[in-house]
Amino acid sequence: MYPHPTTSQTQAQQSLSNYVQQQPHPPPYNLGHQPQQNQNLYPQLPIPQQTVTGQGHTFNSYATQQGQQQQPQLVTNYNPQSQVVNQITDNYNGHQPSQQNYYSSHQPQQPVVNYTTQGTYPNNPAQGQQYSVQPGSNYNPQPQITNYNGHHPQQNYYPQQHQHQGVSNDFGSLSKAIGGLSVTQQGINKIWGNEAVDLLKQRQILPPTGVKPPEIRFQHDYMNSINCSPDIFRCTLTKIPESKSLLQKSRLPLGILIHPFKDLTNLPVIQCSAIVRCRACRTYINPYVYFVDQRRWKCNLCARLNDLPDEFQYDPVTRTSGDPSRRPEVRSATIEFLAPADYMVRPPQAAVYLYVLDVSTNAVDTGYLKTICDILLEELDKIPGDSRTQIGFITFDSAVHFYNLAEGLSQPHQYVVCDIDDIFIPCPNDLLVNLQESKEILRQLLNTLPTKFLNTSDNHSALGAALQAAHKLLAPIGGRITIFQSCLTTIGPGALTNREVTLKNIKDMQPVLNPTVDFYKKLALECSQQYIAVDLFFINNQYVDIASIGCISKFSGGSVYQFPNFHATDNPTQSYLLEQAFQRYVTRKIGFEAVMRVRCSRGLSIHTFHGNFFVRSTDLLSLPNCHPDSGFGMQVSIDESLSDLQTVCFQAALLYTSSKGERRIRVHTLCLPVAGNVNDIIGSADQQCIIGLVAKMAVDRSQTTSLVDAREACTNAVVDALTAYATTQNSLTSVSLLAPPNLAMLPTYTHALLRSIGFRSDLRVRMDDRVHFMNQMKTLPLTYLIQSIYPDLYPLHDVETTVRNLCFTF
């Protein structure tokens, strides 16, 4: 509840108002956040106007798509081969369901407008057009709120002065007046949803509906409706500071998190002879470009003028020529292209899967072989791929075992190579077989593997030699290697020792968080060059040195999974988790020989990358495999002033080969407004995205300096953010810890991160568990990352309601 102004406070307000009226110049006080010039301090309050002109806008003229009264007929030469492939391609099995009409389900939410062309191109808002709101339209301005002086809060109002009056020396009266005004300011903040939260007094800070990502608001609603989904692309600030000094004043980190290969249910897929891109910065055409006329467009990243091909005038849905802004490329911020031959350096590779399984005594005792073999038998027909898909198996203990699965054999033949220091491939042509043609012999192998090594007494692990053999086998074609490991590598290349027993102090942890040998990193770089990704499954009940072995996945674009203390019968929880994870792993969508590049507007630069990949050039990330469960983070810096820009954009382009052998490009575009006021910057912060980026930065700090420094840096990030916000407030209360509503959960998230198994300041956490958690912080998409550090709780006393709410949510 908020107190109403008392009689004395009202008198104080009137006293200060009379004092202000007597001054010849604006008072030297920031009364209630006086807005700066040309800055929109209250972006949620639209000012009703009779006409809205498009003069000077630098974005795509989407507002003319509805309510047009004059539409010229554009006669152009078009390519009838251009077509839109309307299909839902993102499913776990790689199949393509029935087509859906993209335009019927993706109409942008735009205000109804009238326009007059005045002899100019009708879709260009910068050439004299005027738009007026129709009566009865969807334009519903919010009620205007007046401030304590009776004027609109967006107006820079100063009373007209004629002569200088003496300044009163009664500063006690002035202080009382300011104290009275704080009540009025609190009321305004409450109305606008910007009310400060006192973390020392308010116990319930978690919203009943959960923490939602902040909305990105532009001056025009239609720009909000076409922006990239926050589940795919998010920035720590939904308003970009116009200068580096303003960013430093806000004390907030600037970065982006992206989930580029997320499972999508309705993704427009475009097939055309030429993909329209900027000639200077190679940006793909997107909803935020500016059409100068029907033949030219201006890039929204570098402002370069480009020509439109004749094919772009053709609407493949209506099969008519017309407005280029009707093309699906400029109607959706997430889109996928079928790449022409110009985007291929070799024919698209086939889907190749190689499983490398630990069959030492420790691994066999866990019973994991039966679990994964049963899942492969069940999902063999659902593995993503086409008629060229290949599969193979290798097992290892102190030796490496290969399996001949050639067509025509009555049963699989096993070859054992004991020379692990100089590994070679026996019968290389028969170790990888076509999945469709060899299903029967594959089923025989999967049925016999769980019992084949039951009586083994070999407790050694030659993982390094098995990895070298797998690399030699896949080097000519590329593919995916899946490793199952249960114990420390003890013999052969890449042999390791137990470093956990030597750790006695938390301050000495930094060397143990880093690899002890460079064998796995060097092999990972060789795999990346051959478009081979390595995924690791650890089913360990002892130290296996994930910090060293995990490098094979980190630099090859792979994934790391851990199931500590796994046992198929004695630990049913871990057994269930492995079943669920491996079943999704086998059937989820996958992309091969992928590369990703993230571009940004001029004045911005990306300087640090987080995730599993290899940086091939300055901003090109090599991803031999991409899948829907991996995310990436990038830190952004402001190099030049952005004061001349209204918006900035980020664009991520992922080029990959689908499991069906198609070369595709998935493009995501994120547009954000530019702000010049520190209050706007702090009010636009995304607390979940901030903690996601801070967690990634903390992992790097732990590995380069120490865990103690990383924990301190996380705490300082929260302190800096709240201190910057406190300096913008006029509250005279000394015993308070104020936070804006959009950052109220940041201290809680940070506290949860510091208490997690990755950043806990004690030695009771096993080193492999700590390292694995840090790996997850670097690679998980933001949604899964938040669940890892701050999981949801569900009431069990009302199970039916809980299940019903979960079904409704998902």
Side-chain angles (χ1 to χ4, degrees):
M1 299 298 294
Y2 291 84
H4 297 285
T6 61
T7 305
S8 60
Q9 291 172 338
T10 305
Q11 294 175 355
Q13 296 177 26
Q14 184 63 33
S15 175
L16 182 62
S17 178
N18 295 334
Y19 167 78
V20 171
Q21 294 288 343
Q22 297 173 2
Q23 304 308 311
H25 302 291
Y29 306 101
N30 184 10
L31 304 180
H33 301 298
Q34 184 70 27
Q36 299 178 3
Q37 186 176 1
N38 297 329
Q39 299 302 328
N40 184 6
L41 187 59
Y42 301 88
Q44 299 171 336
L45 179 61
I47 302 178
Q49 299 178 358
Q50 295 300 322
T51 61
V52 180
T53 63
Q55 188 69 22
H57 292 173
T58 58
F59 46 82
N60 183 28
S61 56
Y62 244 66
T64 62
Q65 295 305 307
Q66 296 186 10
Q68 294 184 356
Q69 294 181 351
Q70 301 179 11
Q71 176 65 46
Q73 297 296 326
L74 303 179
V75 181
T76 60
N77 297 324
Y78 64 88
N79 185 0
Q81 296 179 351
S82 174
Q83 55 181 320
V84 178
V85 183
N86 296 313
Q87 52 192 345
I88 304 176
T89 60
D90 286 25
N91 51 53
Y92 297 159
N93 304 328
H95 303 296
Q96 301 179 0
S98 59
Q99 299 181 357
Q100 297 185 5
N101 192 327
Y102 171 76
Y103 291 112
S104 62
S105 60
H106 286 73
Q107 293 294 337
Q109 302 296 326
Q110 308 158 5
V112 180
V113 297
N114 287 332
Y115 69 89
T116 57
T117 60
Q118 299 183 4
T120 61
Y121 181 58
N123 288 323
N124 183 5
Q127 294 188 2
Q129 293 187 27
Q130 290 188 347
Y131 302 86
S132 60
V133 180
Q134 290 183 352
S137 66
N138 294 329
Y139 181 77
N140 297 320
Q142 300 179 8
Q144 299 190 25
I145 307 301
T146 59
N147 60 13
Y148 45 83
N149 286 328
H151 298 283
H152 195 280
Q154 285 184 323
Q155 299 175 351
N156 288 330
Y157 175 79
Y158 297 107
Q160 184 178 1
Q161 307 297 330
H162 300 284
Q163 59 182 358
H164 181 72
Q165 300 289 338
V167 180
S168 174
N169 293 326
D170 189 6
F171 290 101
S173 175
L174 182 60
S175 300
K176 293 181 180 179
I178 295 178
L181 287 177
S182 64
V183 178
T184 305
Q185 183 63 35
Q186 289 178 2
I188 295 177
N189 289 336
K190 181 179 180 181
I191 292 175
W192 292 106
N194 297 326
E195 177 190 4
V197 178
D198 191 345
L199 301 179
L200 298 181
K201 298 179 181 179
Q202 188 166 346
R203 306 276 305 197
Q204 182 63 32
I205 59 175
L206 181 65
T209 59
V211 179
K212 304 296 183 183
E215 296 183 5
I216 302 175
R217 294 187 178 93
F218 298 94
Q219 294 180 354
H220 299 266
D221 291 339
Y222 64 86
M223 295 182 68
N224 301 328
S225 62
I226 58 178
N227 215 343
C228 192
S229 169
D231 295 333
I232 299 175
F233 218 151
R234 288 173 77 164
C235 183
T236 56
L237 303 176
T238 54
K239 290 183 180 179
I240 303 298
E242 66 178 12
S243 63
K244 184 177 181 179
S245 61
L246 186 60
L247 176 63
Q248 294 174 346
K249 188 176 180 180
S250 69
R251 298 186 181 182
L252 294 171
L254 179 58
I256 54 176
L257 300 182
I258 183 171
H259 189 182
F261 209 60
K262 184 181 185 299
D263 287 318
L264 300 176
T265 57
N266 197 358
L267 176 67
V269 180
I270 308 299
Q271 183 178 10
C272 53
S273 59
I275 300 176
V276 180
R277 301 178 66 182
C278 176
R279 293 180 297 171
C281 65
R282 305 303 295 162
T283 296
Y284 294 83
I285 195 168
N286 58 83
Y288 295 100
V289 302
Y290 167 56
F291 288 109
V292 178
D293 52 39
Q294 60 181 349
R295 294 293 184 181
R296 293 179 300 168
W297 62 281
K298 180 183 289 186
C299 178
N300 55 317
L301 266 65
C302 69
R304 171 72 179 267
L305 281 178
N306 299 272
D307 296 329
L308 279 173
D310 293 338
E311 179 185 356
F312 208 79
Q313 308 295 329
Y314 176 66
D315 188 348
V317 175
T318 61
R319 298 182 181 274
T320 59
S321 298
D323 185 1
S325 63
R326 294 179 180 176
R327 293 277 300 193
E329 294 94 324
V330 294
R331 296 175 68 92
S332 177
T334 295
I335 200 166
E336 190 159 278
F337 298 93
L338 293 178
D342 298 342
Y343 293 82
M344 306 178 191
V345 295
R346 65 176 185 178
Q349 74 174 57
V352 181
Y353 308 101
L354 179 61
Y355 292 90
V356 182
L357 310 177
D358 184 0
V359 292
S360 63
T361 303
N362 188 73
V364 174
D365 290 343
T366 63
Y368 89 96
L369 279 174
K370 180 171 177 55
T371 300
I372 66 167
C373 288
D374 290 345
I375 293 176
L376 286 173
L377 283 170
E378 181 181 354
E379 307 294 345
L380 203 60
D381 296 330
K382 300 179 183 179
I383 295 177
D386 56 9
S387 59
R388 303 179 300 159
T389 303
Q390 294 181 293
I391 191 171
F393 290 87
I394 294 176
T395 57
F396 67 94
D397 41 29
S398 61
V400 181
H401 319 129
F402 301 88
Y403 297 89
N404 187 343
L405 303 173
E407 185 180 4
L409 296 178
S410 59
Q411 61 182 3
H413 291 180
Q414 183 187 49
Y415 301 96
V416 180
V417 177
C418 298
D419 188 3
I420 58 177
D421 293 324
D422 187 16
I423 197 70
F424 65 94
I425 306 297
C427 59
N429 295 329
D430 297 326
L431 300 181
L432 290 173
V433 296
N434 187 281
L435 177 60
Q436 303 298 329
E437 298 174 356
S438 305
K439 283 187 177 180
E440 292 301 323
I441 196 169
L442 283 172
R443 289 191 173 95
Q444 290 186 30
L445 176 64
L446 293 174
N447 284 321
T448 57
L449 272 180
T451 58
K452 187 176 183 63
F453 299 94
L454 286 178
N455 299 323
T456 184
S457 59
D458 193 334
N459 59 358
H460 292 288
S461 173
L463 174 62
L467 281 171
Q468 288 179 331
H471 171 256
K472 291 182 178 181
L473 190 59
L474 293 188
I477 54 178
R480 184 183 74 184
I481 300 175
T482 305
I483 305 286
F484 278 84
Q485 175 76 352
S486 67
C487 57
L488 192 68
T489 304
T490 55
I491 59 174
L496 302 169
T497 58
N498 192 338
R499 297 185 291 165
E500 189 177 33
V501 296
T502 62
L503 184 62
K504 303 300 182 182
N505 194 311
I506 192 70
K507 297 181 179 179
D508 302 330
M509 186 178 293
Q510 185 265 341
V512 187
L513 295 176
N514 290 280
T516 184
V517 296
D518 60 356
F519 168 81
Y520 297 98
K521 180 178 179 180
K522 290 181 178 179
L523 185 59
L525 298 181
E526 295 177 4
C527 289
S528 179
Q529 293 177 358
Q530 305 297 331
Y531 295 104
I532 301 172
V534 182
D535 296 331
L536 292 170
F537 284 79
F538 290 103
I539 48 171
N540 58 309
N541 53 20
Q542 56 181 294
Y543 179 71
V544 296
D545 200 349
I546 296 180
S548 297
I549 301 177
C551 291
I552 191 69
S553 297
K554 178 179 179 180
F555 296 100
S556 68
S559 302
V560 180
Y561 303 85
Q562 187 201 23
F563 305 92
N565 299 322
F566 174 85
H567 197 279
T569 56
D570 296 344
N571 194 340
T573 301
Q574 291 294 336
S575 179
Y576 175 79
L577 293 176
L578 175 62
E579 291 175 5
Q580 297 298 312
F582 189 64
Q583 185 175 27
R584 171 166 172 79
Y585 174 82
V586 170
T587 59
R588 71 186 179 191
K589 186 176 180 179
I590 185 173
F592 298 94
E593 50 184 356
V595 292
M596 184 174 69
R597 174 174 274 124
V598 180
R599 299 176 174 88
C600 55
S601 297
R602 60 178 177 86
L604 301 175
S605 62
I606 300 174
H607 59 85
T608 305
F609 300 86
H610 301 277
N612 285 356
F613 50 79
F614 174 68
V615 182
R616 184 178 299 180
S617 62
T618 305
D619 59 348
L620 185 66
L621 307 184
S622 175
L623 306 171
N625 284 178
C626 57
H627 55 84
D629 298 331
S630 63
F632 304 90
M634 294 87 178
Q635 292 174 235
V636 180
S637 61
I638 301 177
D639 301 329
E640 303 174 6
S641 175
L642 307 175
S643 57
D644 58 335
L645 301 178
Q646 295 182 356
T647 60
V648 296
C649 291
F650 299 91
Q651 187 178 86
L654 178 68
L655 174 63
Y656 71 98
T657 300
S658 70
S659 58
K660 300 294 184 181
E662 297 175 329
R663 200 68 173 150
R664 295 192 171 203
I665 309 171
R666 184 172 295 190
V667 180
H668 308 284
T669 306
L670 175 67
C671 185
L672 299 171
V674 176
N677 187 285
V678 68
N679 295 301
D680 292 345
I681 303 302
I682 297 176
S684 70
D686 185 341
Q687 55 190 347
Q688 289 189 335
C689 191
I690 288 175
I691 196 63
L693 184 64
V694 167
K696 300 177 190 301
M697 298 167 63
V699 173
D700 290 346
R701 179 70 67 89
S702 301
Q703 296 173 345
T704 55
T705 57
S706 67
L707 181 65
V708 176
D709 289 345
R711 289 173 54 86
E712 185 178 355
C714 292
T715 304
N716 290 339
V718 180
V719 173
D720 290 344
L722 298 185
T723 301
Y725 177 72
T727 59
T728 65
Q729 303 302 300
N730 290 331
S731 175
L732 301 179
T733 304
S734 58
V735 185
S736 62
L737 181 60
L738 299 181
N742 56 304
L743 293 179
M745 286 291 295
L746 184 60
T748 304
Y749 285 143
T750 305
H751 181 68
L753 179 66
L754 296 181
R755 292 179 63 91
S756 65
I757 61 175
F759 296 96
R760 193 175 300 170
S761 59
D762 58 59
L763 297 177
R764 291 178 295 178
V765 179
R766 297 195 306 180
M767 187 53 58
D768 281 335
D769 297 344
R770 187 185 298 272
V771 172
H772 176 67
F773 184 88
M774 290 184 175
N775 290 338
Q776 296 294 91
M777 293 296 99
K778 296 278 285 187
T779 60
L780 281 179
L782 182 58
T783 303
Y784 303 144
L785 186 148
I786 295 296
Q787 291 293 319
S788 298
I789 64 175
Y790 194 78
D792 294 332
L793 297 178
Y794 301 101
L796 298 180
H797 59 274
D798 191 0
V799 178
E800 294 183 359
T801 303
T802 302
V803 173
R804 184 165 57 251
N805 293 337
L806 286 175
C807 295
F808 177 77
T809 302
F810 294 100

